[in-house]
Amino acid sequence: MKPFSYARPGDVAEAVREVAAEPNAVFLAGGTNLVDHLKLGVATPDLVVDVRTLTSQEVTDLPDGGLRLGAASTNSEVAADRRVRERYPVLAQALLAGATGQLRNAATTGGNPLQRTRCVYFQDVTTPCNKREPGSGCSAVGGYTRYHAVLGVDAALPDPDAPGTCIATHPSDMAVALAALDAQVQVLGPSGARTLPFTDLHRLPGDDPATDTTLGHGELITAIDLPPLPAGTRSAYRKVRDRASYAFALVSVAAVVTDDGVRLALGGVAHTPWRATRAEELLRGRALTDDVVRAAMDAELAAAQPQPGIDGGNGFKIPLVHRTVVATLRQLTTEAQA
Amino acid sequence: MDAEISLRVDGESHRLTVDTRTTLLDALRERLGNTSPKKGCDHGQCGACTVLLDGRRSLICLALAVAHDGAEITTADGLAPAGELHPVQQAFLEQDAFQCGYCTPGQVCSAVGVLDEVDRGWPSHVTEDLTGDVELSHDEVAERMSGNLCRCAAYVNIVPAVQQAGGAR
Ligand SMILES: Cc1cc2nc3c(=O)[nH]c(=O)nc-3n(C[C@H](O)[C@H](O)[C@H](O)COP(=O)(O)OP(=O)(O)OC[C@H]3O[C@@H](n4cnc5c(N)ncnc54)[C@H](O)[C@@H]3O)c2cc1C
Ligand code: SF4
Ligand code: FES
Ligand code: FES
């Protein structure tokens, strides 16, 4: 591991100033992703600024009836919070489907959505990877693609040598639920505080795969807000994986059903938690019968690009995520009628 | 780069100077001679390094020592007074819940954490009703202990051991 300086400033404002002033500085929260990357040589900061004890660990009620998750609240505390379990089951289920009890006790609200891809080549410093080493190429194209993207990708076999190529997925379960919930991210940066919709936090690779999010250098997540949901809202998270427990998603679905319509986010299929806006449009005002949902998902997935791979590729994700959405919405509508 | 920290491990206070890169796991094993937490993968994947960190089961291979200055740590070695066994350790013996024993200190600490989480009413991925009571069923134990891998595959006896310890409370 490369040597680095460690700082635990007095408050968040100072933490932001310290990171902003040092181009090669990073924030540290639970460390379950960052410390792994320090060991692997994937992250090589000169300065690590610890914010775990500076941001709030609390889940608090907001005046509008929503909830504020402090950035240092742990994944396990949030999943166990009564208000989250009762009002935002999709979030509790997503958190409980992620990692393990030990990891959730350390992982935080701020760190979880900012965890980096689990692409095996990204984590292996001996292989080319545009995300880790801009311009070096993408080893995943035609390689191991089982955990890679099918949406937000231009072609079935993008040019592995192009500097913009990256077919990685975002691995967080929590983030998929937060996207479906229309959560808001509270950010403190060198030029002050701002709020951004959670769905604007992550970005597609574009011509800069090294940048996962729209946060600027030195911008700190201080909290994530859950908006209030109308009475009668139903929500659920469904994760499909290679093992019954303790595995990242092959695909996952977060669904929030209100009287007005459905909010749908997909995990394991894209570089971002994927908000299925086309399907949402087609479902608005419609009874959620299997046929209607199928047609909406056909439209959502029309542009999907299955990636061939030495492991058999990931084309299976397209019917899999399609069926997972149908099953999740069927479960929510049956429960509502029961 | 060095930093001075203090740790309380199994009831004893220590002051030590560590390189900022040192994990809690290496600090315990290499510096304080406490080899109860094991190094399996060193990447947060196997659970062998599980201890109770400030009361919660946690992996210490992904925890920087410098970030946990002042922490209170209980390893499997410190769960019970010298010469005595914690109910979870007793249950592991009675149920024959280990073979080589390498994963066992982590399993035991994880199980202690699981029983505490169940007492608090924390649901798991397999809990049918998120807001209802939690029972220590086979599926609940298996799900909650899934972060502790056992290369000898003693799982069939680990689950009953955790259930026994849970029932004995
Ligand atoms: C074996 C294993 C299995 C896992 N399985 C799953 C799984 O199934 N599903 C899943 O969703 N996750 C899984 N995870 C990932 C885990 O959930 C993340 O590592 C964790 O949520 C990251 O949170 P943290 O607080 O530890 O972040 P850290 O590791 O401390 O930080 C992660 C990143 O976020 C930045 N950061 C942290 N806090 C802030 C902040 N407040 N503001 C701005 N930047 C910040 C850091 O600089 C760093 O880049 C797994 C991890 C491991 C090791
Ligand atoms: S998919 Fe992205 S993260 Fe993986 S090797 Fe290609 S550029 Fe790197
Ligand atoms: S050594 Fe910590 S999880 Fe494997
Ligand atoms: S008893 Fe050998 S690894 Fe578990």
Side-chain angles (χ1 to χ4, degrees):
Chain A
M1 205 188 293
K2 190 174 140 293
F4 56 82
S5 305
Y6 168 90
R8 190 189 306 149
D11 59 28
V12 284
E14 208 183 316
V16 166
R17 274 197 302 276
E18 287 198 20
V19 170
E22 164 59 62
N24 200 12
V26 293
F27 294 115
L28 169 71
T32 58
N33 194 225
L34 182 62
V35 176
D36 197 9
H37 287 167
L38 294 174
K39 292 184 181 192
L40 292 167
V42 169
T44 53
D46 291 319
L47 172 66
V48 170
V49 176
D50 192 349
V51 292
R52 184 176 58 95
T53 55
L54 304 184
T55 51
S56 168
Q57 303 179 15
E58 307 290 318
V59 177
T60 48
D61 290 300
L62 288 170
D64 65 1
L67 282 184
R68 171 163 293 178
L69 317 176
S73 54
T74 61
N75 288 178
S76 54
E77 294 278 0
V78 172
D81 189 283
R82 281 257 152 217
R83 295 160 293 182
V84 174
R85 286 193 260 162
E86 280 164 12
R87 280 143 57 185
Y88 306 95
V90 62
L91 178 59
Q93 288 166 1
L95 286 165
L96 293 172
T100 66
Q102 292 99 309
L103 286 160
R104 292 192 294 271
N105 277 339
T108 62
T109 294
N112 187 314
L114 299 180
Q115 64 176 292
R116 309 209 62 194
T117 184
R118 305 301 287 201
C119 171
V120 288
Y121 306 103
F122 174 72
Q123 297 180 81
D124 175 355
V125 295
T126 65
T127 59
C129 166
N130 282 328
K131 189 180 278 302
R132 181 170 31 74
E133 213 185 309
S136 62
C138 172
S139 302
V141 173
Y144 289 99
T145 57
R146 186 171 178 77
Y147 284 89
H148 288 73
V150 291
L151 288 170
V153 185
D154 299 337
L157 262 179
D159 177 2
D161 299 321
T165 299
C166 175
I167 57 169
T169 50
H170 195 269
S172 163
D173 292 295
M174 180 190 202
V176 183
L178 292 174
L181 285 168
D182 278 330
Q184 301 284 318
V185 187
Q186 301 295 345
V187 176
L188 184 68
S191 49
R194 66 178 179 122
T195 305
L196 89 151
F198 189 84
T199 46
D200 291 346
L201 177 62
H202 297 92
R203 59 184 292 285
L204 291 173
D207 53 11
D208 176 20
T211 306
D212 297 350
T213 73
T214 57
L215 294 180
H217 181 68
E219 281 200 310
L220 175 77
I221 295 180
T222 54
I224 294 183
D225 292 348
L226 309 179
L229 296 171
T233 300
R234 306 193 62 82
S235 70
Y237 186 74
R238 204 179 263 244
K239 177 176 181 178
V240 184
R241 43 186 160 174
D242 278 327
R243 292 188 296 259
S245 185
Y246 198 14
F248 284 93
L250 290 167
V251 303
S252 71
V253 172
V256 179
V257 180
T258 65
D259 287 345
D260 297 337
V262 182
R263 285 188 257 153
L264 210 52
L266 313 177
V269 292
H271 194 257
T272 62
W274 187 267
R275 195 58 193 263
T277 45
R278 287 208 64 186
E280 288 180 18
E281 255 167 59
L282 294 168
L283 293 174
R284 194 157 299 129
R286 305 286 304 275
L288 300 177
T289 61
D290 285 1
D291 283 346
V292 166
V293 177
R294 280 192 194 109
M297 282 309 291
D298 284 343
E300 184 66 47
L301 296 169
Q305 297 287 351
Q307 299 297 313
I310 46 176
D311 54 359
N314 68 6
F316 70 90
K317 284 191 177 184
I318 296 166
L320 185 59
V321 73
H322 193 285
R323 286 200 297 264
T324 308
V325 168
V326 173
T328 309
L329 291 179
R330 191 190 292 151
Q331 170 202 331
L332 286 174
T333 44
T334 332
E335 281 173 11
Q337 283 152 12
Chain B
M1 275 148 245
D2 286 346
E4 202 185 323
I5 60 165
S6 62
L7 295 173
R8 227 179 128 73
V9 183
D10 294 339
E12 262 183 57
S13 298
H14 304 270
R15 277 204 79 75
L16 61 164
T17 303
V18 291
D19 185 286
T20 50
R21 292 170 289 182
T22 313
T23 61
L24 270 181
L25 179 60
D26 286 337
L28 258 62
R29 291 183 58 88
E30 310 290 337
R31 301 292 305 285
L32 302 179
N34 185 331
T35 54
S36 172
K38 300 288 182 276
K39 186 181 284 193
C41 65
D42 213 21
H43 287 280
Q45 300 176 352
C46 73
C49 65
T50 306
V51 302
L52 300 172
L53 174 60
D54 294 322
R56 294 282 156 82
R57 59 177 170 143
S58 236
L59 306 175
I60 52 171
C61 66
L62 293 184
L64 293 176
V66 61
H68 292 272
D69 182 18
E72 172 94 39
I73 294 167
T74 305
T75 71
D77 194 32
L79 281 172
E84 291 175 37
L85 291 176
H86 183 278
V88 169
Q89 292 168 323
Q90 186 66 41
F92 267 65
L93 273 179
E94 289 175 18
Q95 296 288 343
D96 195 16
F98 52 92
Q99 291 174 39
C100 78
Y102 195 80
C103 70
T104 312
Q107 300 276 2
V108 165
C109 287
S110 193
V112 172
V114 164
L115 297 180
D116 176 54
E117 289 160 15
V118 168
D119 279 344
R120 290 168 193 268
W122 287 12
S124 83
H125 170 65
V126 300
T127 310
E128 200 77 28
D129 177 3
L130 272 186
T131 55
D133 292 338
V134 181
E135 274 174 49
L136 219 49
S137 64
H138 174 281
D139 286 0
E140 281 283 0
V141 174
E143 163 61 25
R144 288 168 193 264
M145 293 292 292
S146 72
N148 291 87
L149 307 188
C150 175
R151 195 69 178 76
C152 303
Y155 303 111
V156 283
N157 292 351
I158 292 172
V159 173
V162 178
Q163 287 176 303
Q164 176 184 323
R169 287 167 308 160

